[in-house]
Amino acid sequence: MILELDCGNSFIKWRVIRAEGIEVVAGGVVDSDAALVLALQQVVGLTLVHCRLVSVRSSDETELLISSLTQAFSMKVQCAGSERSLAGVVNGYDDYQRLGLDRWLAFVGAYHLARKACLVIDLGTAITSDFVSRDGEHIGGFICPGMPLMRNLLRTHTRRIRYHEAAAQEALKNLSPGRSTAEAVERGCSLMVRGFVQSQLEVAQEHWGDDFSIFVTGGDAALVSETLPGARVMPDLVFVGLALACPLS
């Protein structure tokens, strides 16, 4: 079995697949190295042979995680790194090492699946968009705050904006003008996200007309399902690119 990890600044997304294919045996999201080890130890019949990971953490933090995994499971660990090109895609940053590895692997994975021009949108703590031409050239992208960041900024800098997660979820059932603080904030932020996504669609259309694929990933992908009805929603898109960056044979 193969362990795949997407290590962000706050959370680690993980999944276990069988070595002979892409069947997912188990998976989840945890907030620490110790929680990851514990979650894996609770998977019945787990026999890990390899691990491949992508990390946006510091080198020291990533090494600590690798050390914890090798001690707990005695397996080989392979870590994705920055590259100028991979699987037919050319990194578009002037300094290619400055492009976030999670973004890089997501749009490499998207192009590998589509084999045509792609717009890739990741809706997480931050929202990122990336544009890859039909020839595999990454022509750049955009970054803006996601829903979690927008909420936190309003709560941090506006004393009277306070509400619970349950109220936030309830508020997003529709987008009519809010009649409470929770509704006004959640619906306002959601409309900002949708507006950003719509603008990315327009940029892609300026470049390629209608001849491109749209991929959406990240925890808030459901917020834009109506805005991008033809998009491929792929929560595990980064793992597609990770397998290309870290082949096991």
Side-chain angles (χ1 to χ4, degrees):
M1 296 179 182
I2 302 166
L3 173 63
E4 297 183 321
L5 304 175
D6 177 7
C7 307
N9 291 306
S10 301
F11 298 99
I12 302 171
K13 184 176 182 181
W14 65 276
R15 74 177 190 179
V16 176
I17 62 173
R18 297 195 185 279
E20 63 271 15
I22 58 171
E23 178 190 353
V24 178
V25 176
V29 178
V30 293
D31 60 3
S32 69
D33 298 359
L36 173 63
V37 172
L38 179 61
L40 290 169
Q41 289 173 336
Q42 293 175 343
V43 177
V44 177
L46 186 68
T47 54
L48 293 176
V49 178
H50 296 282
C51 171
R52 54 191 172 207
L53 66 86
V54 54
S55 175
V56 297
R57 298 175 167 192
S58 70
S59 297
D60 288 344
E61 290 174 316
T62 302
E63 285 301 321
L64 283 174
L65 172 59
I66 292 173
S67 177
S68 297
L69 291 171
T70 54
Q71 289 179 16
F73 302 102
S74 301
M75 61 181 170
K76 298 178 181 178
V77 179
Q78 192 173 357
C79 188
S82 299
E83 299 183 63
R84 172 59 71 186
S85 63
L86 174 65
V89 180
V90 178
N91 192 315
Y93 263 30
D94 294 331
D95 180 356
Y96 73 93
Q97 294 180 319
R98 300 289 293 175
L99 176 65
L101 282 171
D102 49 351
R103 281 176 65 192
W104 168 240
L105 294 183
F107 66 73
V108 166
Y111 183 78
H112 175 75
L113 294 173
R115 289 298 171 185
K116 64 188 299 186
C118 298
L119 165 61
V120 181
I121 300 175
D122 187 341
L123 294 109
T125 303
I127 298 173
T128 64
S129 66
D130 285 285
F131 301 80
V132 182
S133 75
R134 61 178 57 88
D135 297 324
E137 178 187 0
H138 175 230
I139 62 176
F142 298 93
I143 304 174
C144 73
M147 286 287 286
L149 282 178
M150 286 191 279
R151 283 191 199 103
N152 290 338
L153 284 170
L154 285 169
R155 288 172 176 171
T156 300
H157 296 285
T158 309
R159 292 183 180 179
R160 301 190 68 178
I161 293 183
R162 298 288 185 274
Y163 53 89
H164 298 293
E165 182 61 28
Q169 294 300 318
E170 184 68 23
L172 287 172
K173 288 186 175 180
N174 67 72
L175 291 176
S176 60
R179 295 171 63 87
S180 68
T181 298
E183 290 179 352
V185 169
E186 293 297 318
R187 295 173 188 178
C189 291
S190 179
L191 287 171
M192 289 188 72
V193 170
R194 291 181 180 218
F196 174 82
V197 167
Q198 182 61 42
S199 73
Q200 304 312 289
L201 182 60
E202 293 168 0
V203 171
Q205 289 171 334
E206 289 175 2
H207 282 278
W208 307 308
D210 293 324
D211 189 19
F212 64 95
S213 294
I214 307 170
F215 291 81
V216 181
T217 190
D220 284 327
L223 293 176
V224 300
S225 58
E226 296 178 5
T227 307
L228 299 171
R232 296 174 66 174
V233 179
M234 296 191 64
D236 291 342
L237 183 58
V238 69
F239 291 136
V240 177
L242 179 60
L244 295 169
C246 300
L248 299 177
S249 61

